[in-house]
Amino acid sequence: MDEKKALEIFEKNVSMKICKIERCRVGHGNYVYIISGDMDKYVIRCSEEDNAYIDTIYWLKKLNKVNIPVPEIIAYGKYQNYNYIILSYMAGEDLGIVYPTLSNDEKRIIAREVVRIQTKVATIELEDIEADWTWNTFIVDMLERAKERIAMNGYFDINKVEQIWKMSEALQDYFNKVKPIAYLDDISTKNLLIENGRISGVIDLDWIGVGDKLTYAALTNVALLNMDYDTDYVEFLLEEMNVNQVEKKAFIYYSLLFCVDFMGERGMQFGDKRIDVNDMIISRLNEIYDKLIIEWNRLNS
């Protein structure tokens, strides 16, 4: 998709003198542009997938009702081959971009704010939860996807997935007790906007998680390790959530789960984007895996 098409869609819905349009090269499966005028900015997301933003619209409305700082829906519809949604622009940068500039006090404040946000999200009443819902489905789906992708791409040892699969037995009682509770599962080093050391918004909400909210902390943990940053913010998250010993084990297990998920994504093609892979990336993810295994063994000794 080119800028001209995005501008055609935008001008069809918003009357504004356009000063600038820029492509955001983030995420998979969407064409995302920021359009700036004299006074306002907007985000337009486009996809060739049918009904691409039905869930996005649904969850933005739900989250707005519980006072989560999410974008306002300006317009949505279909134009030629593209489904689109136009949103208000939210100031700030992804957590991963500003992380090196944050003080420990700011990291702690952000962690506290995130936990409060997740507490609000947990109050959302979920619809259409199947009677046989089980958290184990999430675990199995993640492992099967990682195994398939690692086998297909050939950059990592598939035995790492098998090792994690066996480790799940130690947490089976814990997994069986996880209930279908709503949480934001994809606010890690991305999708969580920070401005002046505080949360300014939550973006890219095409879905939300249902189950164990510890997974968003684990995803953040692996993302920070993968960026070679400290994980102080994650420790503050765990403190704010008052995790116990079993939950800490689950957190490390989920971190391993996301580690092999990251491995599986390396070299994958999503639309017009290919996930980078090279010797340094491979070595770093293997080192993260080994570090997490050591921590798992320590907690289970």
Side-chain angles (χ1 to χ4, degrees), residues 213-256:
K213 64 184 179 183
L214 276 172
T215 60
Y216 85 86
L219 174 59
T220 307
N221 189 41
V222 176
L224 288 173
L225 289 170
N226 194 42
M227 299 170 83
D228 202 24
Y229 291 158
D230 68 68
T231 55
D232 294 342
Y233 165 68
V234 177
E235 291 303 317
F236 296 145
L237 281 175
L238 298 178
E239 286 178 20
E240 291 294 328
M241 287 191 279
N242 297 312
V243 299
N244 59 34
Q245 189 70 3
V246 176
E247 289 170 332
K248 186 63 184 290
K249 291 179 184 178
F251 163 76
I252 295 299
Y253 181 86
Y254 295 145
S255 295
L256 283 161

Side-chain angles (χ1 to χ4, degrees), residues 67-203:
N67 297 316
I68 307 300
V70 296
E72 177 188 354
I73 301 169
I74 306 301
Y76 58 89
K78 186 167 184 176
Y79 181 78
Q80 296 179 2
N81 295 330
Y82 295 98
N83 284 269
Y84 67 86
I85 183 169
I86 300 173
L87 303 167
S88 61
Y89 175 82
M90 304 198 80
E93 298 277 4
D94 278 334
L95 175 64
I97 294 174
V98 303
Y99 194 82
T101 71
L102 297 174
S103 67
N104 265 10
D105 284 344
E106 287 172 326
K107 292 173 187 175
R108 188 181 292 277
I109 289 170
I110 293 167
R112 189 173 298 131
E113 290 176 339
V114 166
V115 171
R116 286 174 181 165
I117 285 173
Q118 295 287 26
T119 300
K120 291 180 181 178
V121 176
T123 66
I124 295 175
E125 186 174 344
L126 297 171
E127 302 169 3
D128 301 324
I129 296 296
E130 297 179 1
D132 60 350
W133 182 93
T134 170
W135 181 239
N136 282 286
T137 300
F138 170 83
I139 306 297
V140 171
D141 286 350
M142 286 281 289
L143 288 168
E144 287 183 343
R145 184 175 71 178
K147 184 176 181 179
E148 179 182 350
R149 288 177 172 178
I150 289 173
M152 179 174 60
N153 294 329
Y155 298 113
F156 296 92
D157 183 359
I158 199 169
N159 288 321
K160 287 180 166 59
V161 181
E162 298 292 352
Q163 184 178 13
I164 298 175
W165 214 309
K166 291 177 182 177
M167 288 161 51
S168 66
E169 296 174 5
L171 286 167
Q172 197 56 60
D173 286 344
Y174 175 84
F175 294 152
N176 289 340
K177 293 175 183 176
V178 173
K179 299 186 182 302
I181 296 171
Y183 69 104
L184 302 181
D185 62 342
D186 201 24
I187 49 171
S188 55
T189 54
K190 60 183 181 66
N191 301 335
L192 186 67
L193 299 181
I194 308 298
E195 187 175 41
N196 299 322
R198 302 294 293 267
I199 294 173
S200 58
V202 180
I203 59 172

